Amino acid sequence: METDNQSEIEKVMKKVYFEFDTAVSYKSWVKNFALNLENIWKEKSAKKLSENTVSDIAIVIGRGPSLKNHDHLNKLKSSNYNGAIICTDGALATVLKAGITPDRFPEFYVVTMDPSSETGRHYKDEIINKYHGKIKGIFSTVSNPNTVEKARKLGIEIFWFHSLVDYNEGEKSFNQISALITRAKNHENGLPAIQTGGNVGTTSWFLCWKILNCKTITLIGINHGWEDTDSWETIMTHNRMCKMVEMDKNSESFKKLFPRIYNPDFDCYCILDPIFQYYSAGLKEFIFRSPEEIKTINATEGGCIFGDRIKSMKLEKFLTKFD
Amino acid sequence: MKTNFQKNKIVEHPKESLAPKSGDKKDYTQSEFEEFIIKSGAVGSYMIFRSENEEDEMGISEL
């Protein structure tokens, strides 16, 4: 495990997060939770999904570039795969348009964990409405309420979970207080609290294991890295999600912050930024720490998710198991 | 995730590669990393959740 690097990254992320971002994030958690509360009380716990799962195999679909590079959605659509589909919110419309639908794959879920209003754009496409009443949405209690409402109007059935953010800070933490409020009505036993790993891909992997009781979790479109064809502007701003910092691209610092790494399992390269270093090391760590019975297959055919307890495999090969 | 499907213009990237392996030595200093994170604002909405009770990090069935 990349413990030294990850420990350094986490120290910095924690410091910066608490110094510069917590005030903003905390306000959005509280506001979103407050506005979601009536619906949280009325709607179901994600735990309910555990009672009705049919398959113990799931495919998590991210929106990494390898999805398109390897024509994965078309291959999946043409296969005899009959397990669950867990779609990250950003991939939903693309996935449906490619023919990966709840009509074809009845165990079809979409996941939203980010509190940002930006997530609303994932629920704008009219194609989602075509599957009214057939998609199950697994939402964090601090998801943006406007996003959840859009999903609801499109006929997505909402199931709630808590995102673990500050539970370790004790009785007065946001996690503990919001859990107590949730338990006050209709959810006396509370809701499941899920490790997000900071991103919806890792959240989805956890939901497959912890909520859908899947024993085999296959990843596609989970690159957690950039392609050689992506511009430095895209890479250095995490696709325009943060500010461009001018750096000497020949400096040692630059090469360490944006390493180009070799993925021996798929014989390819990818470029990481600090955010992907943080996310990918986290996901790899949690896969490593999961029980032996949980098998993680990476069929992304690119990116940087490889290592201990991760079986890399071409998607085509994985799908032949269902022939 | 914030990746995209669109191919951007082809640009020159360094040819050398770093393979992440178990137990790699620290690749960069904390200050280098911190400087970049602060300048860029590259902090997402969530942190990885950590706890003294490591089991909690893997999730809590009913909270």
Side-chain angles (χ1 to χ4, degrees):
Chain A
M1 303 305 297
E2 298 156 67
T3 48
D4 289 348
N5 272 344
Q6 183 66 352
S7 163
E8 288 297 331
I9 292 171
E10 289 201 19
K11 268 188 215 161
V12 173
M13 285 295 207
K14 192 170 179 182
K15 183 180 173 194
V16 176
Y17 191 79
F18 282 104
E19 282 183 16
F20 298 95
D21 194 72
T22 301
V24 178
S25 289
Y26 195 89
K27 282 176 188 166
S28 75
W29 300 338
V30 172
K31 183 180 174 185
N32 290 354
F33 175 75
L35 293 171
N36 285 328
L37 187 56
E38 278 299 329
N39 288 313
I40 294 169
W41 279 335
K42 278 193 283 191
E43 293 169 332
K44 293 173 187 161
S45 163
K47 193 90 179 167
K48 276 275 171 198
L49 295 168
S50 304
E51 298 166 9
N52 300 312
T53 53
V54 177
S55 174
D56 66 355
I57 299 176
I59 294 180
V60 172
I61 308 179
R63 57 168 174 164
S66 62
L67 207 59
K68 187 175 179 187
N69 293 348
H70 298 283
D71 199 23
H72 275 167
L73 297 180
N74 205 27
K75 286 174 183 167
L76 178 55
K77 178 191 165 191
S78 310
S79 73
N80 293 316
Y81 175 74
N82 58 5
I85 298 288
I86 291 77
C87 191
T88 57
D89 50 6
L92 179 62
T94 306
V95 164
L96 291 172
K97 285 174 185 172
I100 314 297
T101 70
D103 288 340
R104 171 71 182 80
F105 303 97
E107 279 191 89
F108 192 105
Y109 306 88
V110 63
V111 178
T112 287
M113 48 71 83
D114 198 307
S116 158
S117 60
E118 290 290 307
T119 52
R121 72 183 193 275
H122 304 319
Y123 295 95
K124 276 171 81 174
D125 203 300
E126 264 308 301
I127 194 167
I128 302 169
N129 204 27
K130 204 174 158 189
Y131 301 98
H132 202 100
K134 295 178 179 175
I135 299 173
K136 294 179 177 67
I138 314 178
F139 282 74
S140 161
T141 51
V142 295
S143 301
N144 185 279
N146 294 328
T147 299
V148 190
E149 186 57 20
K150 276 185 184 174
R152 204 177 276 118
K153 282 185 174 164
L154 291 166
I156 294 174
E157 188 178 6
I158 311 295
F159 295 82
W160 296 100
F161 71 93
H162 294 302
S163 310
L164 283 168
V165 287
D166 64 350
Y167 177 71
N168 55 317
E169 289 172 32
E171 293 294 320
K172 293 179 180 174
S173 66
F174 172 76
N175 270 149
Q176 298 263 25
I177 291 169
S178 59
L180 277 176
I181 295 170
T182 301
R183 285 169 178 249
K185 200 157 104 180
N186 296 338
H187 293 294
E188 288 82 4
N189 294 322
L191 301 176
I194 299 294
Q195 165 72 266
T196 68
N199 63 89
V200 68
T202 303
T203 305
S204 299
W205 177 84
F206 266 105
L207 288 167
C208 287
W209 163 26
K210 293 285 186 171
I211 300 298
L212 303 178
N213 301 320
C214 293
K215 298 286 188 285
T216 300
I217 306 166
T218 298
L219 311 174
I220 60 172
I222 305 288
N223 291 64
H224 281 191
W226 303 101
E227 305 273 281
D228 277 340
T229 47
D230 289 314
S231 71
W232 278 125
E233 189 194 0
T234 299
I235 296 168
M236 291 179 70
T237 62
H238 202 74
N239 199 22
R240 297 169 188 85
M241 294 303 290
C242 56
K243 282 182 281 187
M244 183 74 176
V245 177
E246 289 304 324
M247 289 185 77
D248 175 0
K249 294 186 181 63
N250 294 315
S251 69
E252 284 305 306
S253 285
F254 185 84
K255 289 173 188 171
K256 291 168 189 170
L257 289 168
F258 300 94
R260 182 174 184 262
I261 65 158
Y262 177 64
N263 180 334
D265 290 3
F266 293 125
D267 189 25
C268 64
Y269 289 87
C270 79
I271 298 168
L272 302 184
D273 63 27
I275 294 177
F276 276 140
Q277 291 191 55
Y278 178 62
Y279 288 167
S280 61
L283 176 56
K284 289 194 275 190
E285 177 200 325
F286 295 125
I287 291 171
F288 179 73
R289 288 171 58 188
S290 64
E292 287 291 332
E293 62 177 11
I294 305 300
K295 192 175 167 190
T296 300
I297 295 173
N298 186 11
T300 295
E301 297 182 54
C304 68
I305 305 300
F306 61 89
D308 294 330
R309 300 277 319 280
I310 300 167
K311 174 85 176 162
S312 298
M313 188 185 292
K314 286 193 169 187
L315 180 63
E316 273 170 303
K317 187 177 176 193
F318 170 74
L319 294 173
T320 58
K321 295 175 191 295
F322 301 90
D323 287 342
Chain B
M1 302 306 301
K2 289 109 183 173
T3 49
N4 66 354
F5 286 105
Q6 296 198 340
K7 294 279 182 194
N8 291 285
K9 63 186 177 188
I10 294 174
V11 290
E12 284 291 312
H13 290 303
K15 298 292 180 216
E16 62 266 40
S17 63
L18 293 170
K21 290 175 187 164
S22 298
D24 265 355
K25 65 179 170 53
K26 189 169 61 179
D27 282 322
Y28 40 76
T29 65
Q30 190 171 332
S31 60
E32 284 172 325
F33 188 75
E34 186 172 329
E35 186 183 355
F36 176 81
I37 294 294
I38 291 171
K39 280 184 181 170
S40 67
V43 183
S45 304
Y46 283 115
M47 299 278 297
I48 293 172
F49 171 70
R50 295 297 181 191
S51 173
E52 281 180 13
N53 182 356
E54 291 190 356
E55 273 188 28
D56 287 348
E57 294 177 7
M58 304 304 270
I60 298 164
S61 63
E62 289 174 333
L63 177 63

